[in-house]
Amino acid sequence: MKIRFATSNPYKVSEGNVVGAGFGIEYVQLKEPYPEIRDEDVSRVAEEGARFVFDRINKPVIVEDTGLFIEALNGFPGSFSAFVFGKLGNNGILKLLGEVENRKAEFISAVGYCNQEGVRVFKGSVKGLIADRKKGMGGFGYDPIFIPAGQKKTFAEDPGMKERISHRNKAFQRFSEWIVSI
Ligand code: IMP
């Protein structure tokens, strides 16, 4: 089964396909842009994105939205992670946190699927810590500063580990299970 995945980010597609392989699903990148609505909930962003692309192409499609929620920053940058990454990057986040002891953070991923029947959203999350400095060359975005709970390395240092336990892995597991069951 092939599923269209509207995203400009090929890393997201390959992470989805690691999960899809176990379900006989191939996620195929569709470079169809969509507006990211301003909402603190990544589910709403994914939901509206999927609806927007579906309305344009009139074919079933998924959109995925991720946020990094940092506890000491009251959940910032959350659903505004793309904007903040563009403005501040990982160095800016590390600077904002400074020497703060509470390094707890959580990645939340929401996969929105839209077809003629409407939209459904599937979520996955992973808790962890913000590292004291950037580490690793793999992955993308905030991967060099995120160490998942129970691990010693950042996602960027061990992309294989990321593929197995990430927020995106969990959201795609849930979506993949559902889509093959209907
Ligand atoms: P979006 O989901 O494409 O809106 O991404 C939000 C921001 O978080 C972007 O700056 C991405 O680079 C970053 N991001 C999204 N997913 C991940 C991830 O799995 N690891 C690290 N950063 C991510």
Side-chain angles (χ1 to χ4, degrees), residues 7-9 11-12 15 34 36 42 45 64-68 77-86 90 107-110 139-144 146 155 162 166-168:
T7 179
S8 58
N9 185 338
Y11 291 102
K12 288 189 174 186
E15 289 182 17
Y34 56 90
E36 280 200 9
V42 288
V45 179
E64 190 260 10
D65 195 68
T66 284
L68 176 64
S79 64
F80 305 102
S81 291
F83 176 75
V84 172
F85 190 80
N90 286 321
F107 267 122
I108 303 180
S109 160
F140 64 96
Y142 298 102
D143 283 345
F146 185 81
F155 272 167
K162 181 188 182 193
S166 78
H167 47 302
R168 186 162 297 107

mmCIF file of all heavy atoms in Angstrom, residues 7-9 11-12 15 34 36 42 45 64-68 77-86 90 107-110 139-144 146 155 162 166-168, ligand 1:
data_model
loop_
_atom_site.group_PDB
_atom_site.id
_atom_site.type_symbol
_atom_site.label_atom_id
_atom_site.label_comp_id
_atom_site.label_asym_id
_atom_site.label_seq_id
_atom_site.Cartn_x
_atom_site.Cartn_y
_atom_site.Cartn_z
ATOM 1 N N THR A 7 5.151 16.600 2.759
ATOM 2 C CA THR A 7 6.211 17.184 3.587
ATOM 3 C C THR A 7 7.357 17.631 2.690
ATOM 4 O O THR A 7 7.567 17.060 1.610
ATOM 5 C CB THR A 7 6.744 16.170 4.632
ATOM 6 O OG1 THR A 7 7.793 16.789 5.395
ATOM 7 C CG2 THR A 7 7.300 14.909 3.993
ATOM 8 N N SER A 8 8.088 18.643 3.179
ATOM 9 C CA SER A 8 9.282 19.052 2.446
ATOM 10 C C SER A 8 10.510 18.351 3.030
ATOM 11 O O SER A 8 11.619 18.567 2.561
ATOM 12 C CB SER A 8 9.452 20.573 2.556
ATOM 13 O OG SER A 8 9.531 20.917 3.927
ATOM 14 N N ASN A 9 10.289 17.536 4.059
ATOM 15 C CA ASN A 9 11.401 16.967 4.828
ATOM 16 C C ASN A 9 11.586 15.473 4.521
ATOM 17 O O ASN A 9 10.843 14.630 5.029
ATOM 18 C CB ASN A 9 11.102 17.172 6.318
ATOM 19 C CG ASN A 9 12.241 16.736 7.210
ATOM 20 O OD1 ASN A 9 13.073 15.930 6.811
ATOM 21 N ND2 ASN A 9 12.276 17.258 8.416
ATOM 22 N N TYR A 11 13.756 13.416 5.591
ATOM 23 C CA TYR A 11 14.087 12.605 6.787
ATOM 24 C C TYR A 11 12.817 12.037 7.405
ATOM 25 O O TYR A 11 12.791 10.909 7.881
ATOM 26 C CB TYR A 11 14.794 13.453 7.847
ATOM 27 C CG TYR A 11 16.176 13.897 7.470
ATOM 28 C CD1 TYR A 11 16.409 15.192 7.025
ATOM 29 C CD2 TYR A 11 17.262 13.032 7.590
ATOM 30 C CE1 TYR A 11 17.689 15.613 6.701
ATOM 31 C CE2 TYR A 11 18.541 13.447 7.257
ATOM 32 C CZ TYR A 11 18.740 14.739 6.815
ATOM 33 O OH TYR A 11 19.996 15.147 6.496
ATOM 34 N N LYS A 12 11.777 12.868 7.423
ATOM 35 C CA LYS A 12 10.516 12.394 8.003
ATOM 36 C C LYS A 12 9.980 11.202 7.215
ATOM 37 O O LYS A 12 9.450 10.255 7.783
ATOM 38 C CB LYS A 12 9.468 13.514 8.001
ATOM 39 C CG LYS A 12 9.716 14.619 9.003
ATOM 40 C CD LYS A 12 8.494 15.540 9.052
ATOM 41 C CE LYS A 12 8.619 16.582 10.144
ATOM 42 N NZ LYS A 12 7.377 17.362 10.282
ATOM 43 N N GLU A 15 12.005 8.096 8.041
ATOM 44 C CA GLU A 15 11.667 7.575 9.376
ATOM 45 C C GLU A 15 10.295 6.890 9.348
ATOM 46 O O GLU A 15 10.095 5.855 9.983
ATOM 47 C CB GLU A 15 11.688 8.704 10.412
ATOM 48 C CG GLU A 15 13.104 9.184 10.712
ATOM 49 C CD GLU A 15 13.183 10.288 11.769
ATOM 50 O OE1 GLU A 15 12.202 10.498 12.522
ATOM 51 O OE2 GLU A 15 14.224 10.932 11.835
ATOM 52 N N TYR A 34 1.658 23.443 2.553
ATOM 53 C CA TYR A 34 0.407 23.758 3.260
ATOM 54 C C TYR A 34 0.748 24.747 4.370
ATOM 55 O O TYR A 34 1.876 24.772 4.870
ATOM 56 C CB TYR A 34 -0.224 22.486 3.850
ATOM 57 C CG TYR A 34 0.698 21.730 4.774
ATOM 58 C CD1 TYR A 34 0.728 21.995 6.139
ATOM 59 C CD2 TYR A 34 1.573 20.767 4.278
ATOM 60 C CE1 TYR A 34 1.595 21.324 6.979
ATOM 61 C CE2 TYR A 34 2.455 20.093 5.107
ATOM 62 C CZ TYR A 34 2.449 20.378 6.462
ATOM 63 O OH TYR A 34 3.328 19.718 7.292
ATOM 64 N N GLU A 36 0.940 26.211 8.083
ATOM 65 C CA GLU A 36 0.886 25.681 9.456
ATOM 66 C C GLU A 36 0.070 26.656 10.276
ATOM 67 O O GLU A 36 0.473 27.809 10.455
ATOM 68 C CB GLU A 36 2.288 25.548 10.050
ATOM 69 C CG GLU A 36 2.998 24.305 9.574
ATOM 70 C CD GLU A 36 4.165 23.892 10.482
ATOM 71 O OE1 GLU A 36 4.335 24.453 11.578
ATOM 72 O OE2 GLU A 36 4.899 22.995 10.058
ATOM 73 N N VAL A 42 -0.051 20.365 18.480
ATOM 74 C CA VAL A 42 0.461 19.842 17.204
ATOM 75 C C VAL A 42 -0.604 19.024 16.460
ATOM 76 O O VAL A 42 -0.582 18.937 15.232
ATOM 77 C CB VAL A 42 1.761 18.997 17.380
ATOM 78 C CG1 VAL A 42 2.945 19.878 17.727
ATOM 79 C CG2 VAL A 42 1.589 17.880 18.393
ATOM 80 N N VAL A 45 -2.466 21.331 14.226
ATOM 81 C CA VAL A 45 -1.640 21.751 13.095
ATOM 82 C C VAL A 45 -1.638 20.644 12.032
ATOM 83 O O VAL A 45 -1.825 20.905 10.832
ATOM 84 C CB VAL A 45 -0.185 22.072 13.544
ATOM 85 C CG1 VAL A 45 0.670 22.491 12.356
ATOM 86 C CG2 VAL A 45 -0.173 23.151 14.627
ATOM 87 N N GLU A 64 2.463 15.446 8.880
ATOM 88 C CA GLU A 64 2.951 15.189 10.245
ATOM 89 C C GLU A 64 3.506 16.471 10.831
ATOM 90 O O GLU A 64 4.217 17.210 10.142
ATOM 91 C CB GLU A 64 4.029 14.106 10.207
ATOM 92 C CG GLU A 64 4.434 13.593 11.564
ATOM 93 C CD GLU A 64 5.725 14.200 12.099
ATOM 94 O OE1 GLU A 64 6.242 15.186 11.505
ATOM 95 O OE2 GLU A 64 6.197 13.719 13.104
ATOM 96 N N ASP A 65 3.162 16.739 12.089
ATOM 97 C CA ASP A 65 3.718 17.919 12.744
ATOM 98 C C ASP A 65 4.349 17.513 14.068
ATOM 99 O O ASP A 65 3.778 16.716 14.826
ATOM 100 C CB ASP A 65 2.629 18.974 12.996
ATOM 101 C CG ASP A 65 3.262 20.314 13.331
ATOM 102 O OD1 ASP A 65 3.888 20.905 12.432
ATOM 103 O OD2 ASP A 65 3.168 20.753 14.494
ATOM 104 N N THR A 66 5.542 18.064 14.321
ATOM 105 C CA THR A 66 6.272 17.741 15.546
ATOM 106 C C THR A 66 6.546 18.994 16.347
ATOM 107 O O THR A 66 6.798 20.058 15.780
ATOM 108 C CB THR A 66 7.610 17.047 15.186
ATOM 109 O OG1 THR A 66 7.345 15.701 14.804
ATOM 110 C CG2 THR A 66 8.570 17.014 16.367
ATOM 111 N N GLY A 67 6.523 18.856 17.660
ATOM 112 C CA GLY A 67 6.929 19.948 18.541
ATOM 113 C C GLY A 67 7.876 19.430 19.604
ATOM 114 O O GLY A 67 7.767 18.279 20.043
ATOM 115 N N LEU A 68 8.813 20.289 20.008
ATOM 116 C CA LEU A 68 9.705 19.984 21.135
ATOM 117 C C LEU A 68 9.246 20.843 22.308
ATOM 118 O O LEU A 68 9.253 22.081 22.219
ATOM 119 C CB LEU A 68 11.158 20.311 20.758
ATOM 120 C CG LEU A 68 12.183 20.141 21.881
ATOM 121 C CD1 LEU A 68 12.283 18.680 22.334
ATOM 122 C CD2 LEU A 68 13.564 20.639 21.433
ATOM 123 N N PRO A 77 9.697 25.407 22.611
ATOM 124 C CA PRO A 77 8.958 26.079 21.540
ATOM 125 C C PRO A 77 7.689 25.357 21.101
ATOM 126 O O PRO A 77 6.933 25.919 20.323
ATOM 127 C CB PRO A 77 9.965 26.122 20.388
ATOM 128 C CG PRO A 77 10.894 24.972 20.625
ATOM 129 C CD PRO A 77 10.943 24.772 22.121
ATOM 130 N N GLY A 78 7.434 24.138 21.581
ATOM 131 C CA GLY A 78 6.179 23.445 21.303
ATOM 132 C C GLY A 78 5.814 23.420 19.830
ATOM 133 O O GLY A 78 6.644 23.111 18.978
ATOM 134 N N SER A 79 4.562 23.789 19.548
ATOM 135 C CA SER A 79 4.100 23.711 18.152
ATOM 136 C C SER A 79 4.727 24.802 17.284
ATOM 137 O O SER A 79 4.509 24.833 16.073
ATOM 138 C CB SER A 79 2.578 23.801 18.095
ATOM 139 O OG SER A 79 2.181 25.059 18.558
ATOM 140 N N PHE A 80 5.504 25.704 17.909
ATOM 141 C CA PHE A 80 6.190 26.741 17.126
ATOM 142 C C PHE A 80 7.646 26.357 16.859
ATOM 143 O O PHE A 80 8.485 27.213 16.567
ATOM 144 C CB PHE A 80 6.078 28.094 17.845
ATOM 145 C CG PHE A 80 4.652 28.459 18.135
ATOM 146 C CD1 PHE A 80 4.121 28.302 19.407
ATOM 147 C CD2 PHE A 80 3.803 28.882 17.110
ATOM 148 C CE1 PHE A 80 2.781 28.583 19.661
ATOM 149 C CE2 PHE A 80 2.467 29.172 17.362
ATOM 150 C CZ PHE A 80 1.955 29.024 18.628
ATOM 151 N N SER A 81 7.933 25.056 16.952
ATOM 152 C CA SER A 81 9.317 24.580 16.861
ATOM 153 C C SER A 81 9.984 24.913 15.533
ATOM 154 O O SER A 81 11.190 25.180 15.510
ATOM 155 C CB SER A 81 9.370 23.063 17.098
ATOM 156 O OG SER A 81 9.065 22.783 18.449
ATOM 157 N N ALA A 82 9.235 24.892 14.446
ATOM 158 C CA ALA A 82 9.865 25.159 13.142
ATOM 159 C C ALA A 82 10.291 26.625 13.071
ATOM 160 O O ALA A 82 11.423 26.940 12.696
ATOM 161 C CB ALA A 82 8.902 24.828 12.006
ATOM 162 N N PHE A 83 9.394 27.510 13.490
ATOM 163 C CA PHE A 83 9.692 28.947 13.487
ATOM 164 C C PHE A 83 10.907 29.242 14.378
ATOM 165 O O PHE A 83 11.848 29.939 13.982
ATOM 166 C CB PHE A 83 8.452 29.704 13.980
ATOM 167 C CG PHE A 83 8.649 31.176 14.126
ATOM 168 C CD1 PHE A 83 8.691 31.992 13.001
ATOM 169 C CD2 PHE A 83 8.793 31.747 15.378
ATOM 170 C CE1 PHE A 83 8.882 33.366 13.135
ATOM 171 C CE2 PHE A 83 8.983 33.110 15.521
ATOM 172 C CZ PHE A 83 9.028 33.927 14.390
ATOM 173 N N VAL A 84 10.882 28.663 15.579
ATOM 174 C CA VAL A 84 11.957 28.934 16.551
ATOM 175 C C VAL A 84 13.278 28.332 16.066
ATOM 176 O O VAL A 84 14.338 28.952 16.213
ATOM 177 C CB VAL A 84 11.559 28.396 17.951
ATOM 178 C CG1 VAL A 84 12.728 28.484 18.923
ATOM 179 C CG2 VAL A 84 10.354 29.183 18.480
ATOM 180 N N PHE A 85 13.205 27.161 15.461
ATOM 181 C CA PHE A 85 14.450 26.558 14.952
ATOM 182 C C PHE A 85 15.071 27.466 13.890
ATOM 183 O O PHE A 85 16.282 27.683 13.868
ATOM 184 C CB PHE A 85 14.202 25.160 14.380
ATOM 185 C CG PHE A 85 15.485 24.438 14.086
ATOM 186 C CD1 PHE A 85 16.196 23.808 15.099
ATOM 187 C CD2 PHE A 85 16.009 24.426 12.802
ATOM 188 C CE1 PHE A 85 17.402 23.183 14.841
ATOM 189 C CE2 PHE A 85 17.220 23.798 12.526
ATOM 190 C CZ PHE A 85 17.916 23.170 13.555
ATOM 191 N N GLY A 86 14.196 28.017 13.047
ATOM 192 C CA GLY A 86 14.683 28.921 11.998
ATOM 193 C C GLY A 86 15.313 30.188 12.566
ATOM 194 O O GLY A 86 16.287 30.701 12.038
ATOM 195 N N ASN A 90 19.652 25.398 17.411
ATOM 196 C CA ASN A 90 19.997 24.679 18.646
ATOM 197 C C ASN A 90 20.841 25.541 19.579
ATOM 198 O O ASN A 90 20.685 25.466 20.800
ATOM 199 C CB ASN A 90 20.730 23.379 18.305
ATOM 200 C CG ASN A 90 19.772 22.341 17.761
ATOM 201 O OD1 ASN A 90 18.639 22.222 18.239
ATOM 202 N ND2 ASN A 90 20.200 21.578 16.768
ATOM 203 N N PHE A 107 9.374 15.331 22.906
ATOM 204 C CA PHE A 107 8.979 15.487 21.504
ATOM 205 C C PHE A 107 7.582 14.911 21.343
ATOM 206 O O PHE A 107 7.318 13.783 21.797
ATOM 207 C CB PHE A 107 9.896 14.671 20.583
ATOM 208 C CG PHE A 107 11.074 15.413 20.024
ATOM 209 C CD1 PHE A 107 12.360 14.948 20.253
ATOM 210 C CD2 PHE A 107 10.908 16.549 19.244
ATOM 211 C CE1 PHE A 107 13.465 15.606 19.722
ATOM 212 C CE2 PHE A 107 12.004 17.217 18.705
ATOM 213 C CZ PHE A 107 13.285 16.737 18.948
ATOM 214 N N ILE A 108 6.707 15.641 20.694
ATOM 215 C CA ILE A 108 5.374 15.105 20.383
ATOM 216 C C ILE A 108 5.158 15.202 18.879
ATOM 217 O O ILE A 108 5.376 16.254 18.271
ATOM 218 C CB ILE A 108 4.258 15.858 21.127
ATOM 219 C CG1 ILE A 108 4.508 15.813 22.637
ATOM 220 C CG2 ILE A 108 2.879 15.251 20.795
ATOM 221 C CD1 ILE A 108 3.457 16.520 23.472
ATOM 222 N N SER A 109 4.753 14.074 18.300
ATOM 223 C CA SER A 109 4.489 14.003 16.859
ATOM 224 C C SER A 109 3.010 13.707 16.641
ATOM 225 O O SER A 109 2.429 12.880 17.344
ATOM 226 C CB SER A 109 5.330 12.865 16.257
ATOM 227 O OG SER A 109 4.811 12.449 15.010
ATOM 228 N N ALA A 110 2.422 14.389 15.680
ATOM 229 C CA ALA A 110 1.032 14.104 15.320
ATOM 230 C C ALA A 110 0.951 13.850 13.823
ATOM 231 O O ALA A 110 1.431 14.657 13.024
ATOM 232 C CB ALA A 110 0.130 15.281 15.694
ATOM 233 N N GLY A 139 20.560 12.760 11.718
ATOM 234 C CA GLY A 139 19.224 13.322 11.940
ATOM 235 C C GLY A 139 19.095 14.749 11.437
ATOM 236 O O GLY A 139 19.785 15.178 10.514
ATOM 237 N N PHE A 140 18.231 15.506 12.084
ATOM 238 C CA PHE A 140 17.947 16.876 11.644
ATOM 239 C C PHE A 140 17.350 17.659 12.820
ATOM 240 O O PHE A 140 17.071 17.094 13.887
ATOM 241 C CB PHE A 140 16.986 16.862 10.453
ATOM 242 C CG PHE A 140 15.623 16.295 10.780
ATOM 243 C CD1 PHE A 140 14.564 17.129 11.116
ATOM 244 C CD2 PHE A 140 15.406 14.931 10.772
ATOM 245 C CE1 PHE A 140 13.304 16.609 11.427
ATOM 246 C CE2 PHE A 140 14.158 14.407 11.082
ATOM 247 C CZ PHE A 140 13.110 15.240 11.414
ATOM 248 N N GLY A 141 17.143 18.945 12.598
ATOM 249 C CA GLY A 141 16.470 19.786 13.589
ATOM 250 C C GLY A 141 17.127 19.723 14.963
ATOM 251 O O GLY A 141 18.349 19.917 15.102
ATOM 252 N N TYR A 142 16.304 19.426 15.960
ATOM 253 C CA TYR A 142 16.768 19.437 17.345
ATOM 254 C C TYR A 142 17.464 18.133 17.751
ATOM 255 O O TYR A 142 17.822 17.970 18.927
ATOM 256 C CB TYR A 142 15.574 19.696 18.280
ATOM 257 C CG TYR A 142 14.890 21.039 18.058
ATOM 258 C CD1 TYR A 142 13.686 21.131 17.358
ATOM 259 C CD2 TYR A 142 15.451 22.218 18.550
ATOM 260 C CE1 TYR A 142 13.059 22.349 17.161
ATOM 261 C CE2 TYR A 142 14.827 23.445 18.355
ATOM 262 C CZ TYR A 142 13.635 23.503 17.659
ATOM 263 O OH TYR A 142 13.017 24.731 17.466
ATOM 264 N N ASP A 143 17.648 17.211 16.823
ATOM 265 C CA ASP A 143 18.250 15.915 17.172
ATOM 266 C C ASP A 143 19.583 16.030 17.918
ATOM 267 O O ASP A 143 19.837 15.239 18.830
ATOM 268 C CB ASP A 143 18.441 15.044 15.914
ATOM 269 C CG ASP A 143 17.140 14.405 15.448
ATOM 270 O OD1 ASP A 143 16.158 14.396 16.221
ATOM 271 O OD2 ASP A 143 17.097 13.902 14.297
ATOM 272 N N PRO A 144 20.470 16.995 17.564
ATOM 273 C CA PRO A 144 21.768 17.050 18.263
ATOM 274 C C PRO A 144 21.680 17.456 19.734
ATOM 275 O O PRO A 144 22.659 17.323 20.468
ATOM 276 C CB PRO A 144 22.555 18.109 17.468
ATOM 277 C CG PRO A 144 21.877 18.195 16.148
ATOM 278 C CD PRO A 144 20.424 17.928 16.423
ATOM 279 N N PHE A 146 18.903 16.512 21.827
ATOM 280 C CA PHE A 146 17.882 15.736 22.552
ATOM 281 C C PHE A 146 18.399 14.336 22.893
ATOM 282 O O PHE A 146 18.746 13.559 22.000
ATOM 283 C CB PHE A 146 16.601 15.624 21.720
ATOM 284 C CG PHE A 146 15.473 14.940 22.447
ATOM 285 C CD1 PHE A 146 14.686 15.651 23.358
ATOM 286 C CD2 PHE A 146 15.204 13.590 22.256
ATOM 287 C CE1 PHE A 146 13.648 15.018 24.043
ATOM 288 C CE2 PHE A 146 14.173 12.950 22.936
ATOM 289 C CZ PHE A 146 13.381 13.672 23.832
ATOM 290 N N PHE A 155 19.810 11.913 19.736
ATOM 291 C CA PHE A 155 19.243 11.322 18.515
ATOM 292 C C PHE A 155 20.233 11.460 17.362
ATOM 293 O O PHE A 155 20.343 10.583 16.507
ATOM 294 C CB PHE A 155 17.941 12.028 18.139
ATOM 295 C CG PHE A 155 16.689 11.464 18.788
ATOM 296 C CD1 PHE A 155 15.487 12.182 18.732
ATOM 297 C CD2 PHE A 155 16.679 10.230 19.409
ATOM 298 C CE1 PHE A 155 14.322 11.681 19.291
ATOM 299 C CE2 PHE A 155 15.515 9.713 19.975
ATOM 300 C CZ PHE A 155 14.334 10.440 19.914
ATOM 301 N N LYS A 162 17.173 6.428 17.304
ATOM 302 C CA LYS A 162 16.036 7.333 17.073
ATOM 303 C C LYS A 162 14.937 6.624 16.290
ATOM 304 O O LYS A 162 13.759 6.691 16.656
ATOM 305 C CB LYS A 162 16.481 8.588 16.316
ATOM 306 C CG LYS A 162 15.314 9.553 16.095
ATOM 307 C CD LYS A 162 15.627 10.714 15.191
ATOM 308 C CE LYS A 162 14.420 11.633 15.085
ATOM 309 N NZ LYS A 162 14.516 12.617 14.018
ATOM 310 N N SER A 166 11.595 6.797 18.541
ATOM 311 C CA SER A 166 11.188 8.217 18.476
ATOM 312 C C SER A 166 9.681 8.441 18.563
ATOM 313 O O SER A 166 8.864 7.535 18.337
ATOM 314 C CB SER A 166 11.714 8.855 17.186
ATOM 315 O OG SER A 166 10.892 8.472 16.105
ATOM 316 N N HIS A 167 9.330 9.662 18.858
ATOM 317 C CA HIS A 167 7.961 10.178 18.790
ATOM 318 C C HIS A 167 7.324 9.835 17.443
ATOM 319 O O HIS A 167 6.193 9.395 17.360
ATOM 320 C CB HIS A 167 8.005 11.701 18.992
ATOM 321 C CG HIS A 167 9.049 12.395 18.154
ATOM 322 N ND1 HIS A 167 10.372 12.066 18.240
ATOM 323 C CD2 HIS A 167 8.973 13.340 17.185
ATOM 324 C CE1 HIS A 167 11.057 12.800 17.369
ATOM 325 N NE2 HIS A 167 10.231 13.575 16.713
ATOM 326 N N ARG A 168 8.092 10.047 16.352
ATOM 327 C CA ARG A 168 7.565 9.795 15.010
ATOM 328 C C ARG A 168 7.318 8.304 14.802
ATOM 329 O O ARG A 168 6.301 7.912 14.229
ATOM 330 C CB ARG A 168 8.554 10.338 13.957
ATOM 331 C CG ARG A 168 8.035 10.269 12.529
ATOM 332 C CD ARG A 168 8.801 11.179 11.602
ATOM 333 N NE ARG A 168 8.649 12.578 11.976
ATOM 334 C CZ ARG A 168 9.620 13.307 12.550
ATOM 335 N NH1 ARG A 168 10.809 12.807 12.778
ATOM 336 N NH2 ARG A 168 9.381 14.559 12.902
HETATM 337 P P1 IMP B 1 7.736 20.417 11.690
HETATM 338 O O1 IMP B 1 7.102 19.201 12.283
HETATM 339 O O2 IMP B 1 8.233 20.119 10.324
HETATM 340 O O3 IMP B 1 6.877 21.640 11.817
HETATM 341 O O4 IMP B 1 9.050 20.638 12.518
HETATM 342 C C1 IMP B 1 9.166 21.515 13.594
HETATM 343 C C2 IMP B 1 10.619 21.788 13.904
HETATM 344 O O5 IMP B 1 11.101 20.739 14.713
HETATM 345 C C3 IMP B 1 11.532 21.866 12.689
HETATM 346 O O6 IMP B 1 12.511 22.843 12.944
HETATM 347 C C4 IMP B 1 12.161 20.520 12.605
HETATM 348 O O7 IMP B 1 13.475 20.581 12.109
HETATM 349 C C5 IMP B 1 12.142 20.078 14.061
HETATM 350 N N1 IMP B 1 11.860 18.660 14.126
HETATM 351 C C6 IMP B 1 10.775 18.013 13.634
HETATM 352 N N2 IMP B 1 10.895 16.701 13.860
HETATM 353 C C7 IMP B 1 12.075 16.525 14.500
HETATM 354 C C8 IMP B 1 12.746 15.383 14.985
HETATM 355 O O8 IMP B 1 12.328 14.235 14.829
HETATM 356 N N3 IMP B 1 13.926 15.606 15.595
HETATM 357 C C9 IMP B 1 14.453 16.854 15.760
HETATM 358 N N4 IMP B 1 13.874 17.945 15.330
HETATM 359 C C10 IMP B 1 12.675 17.788 14.697
#
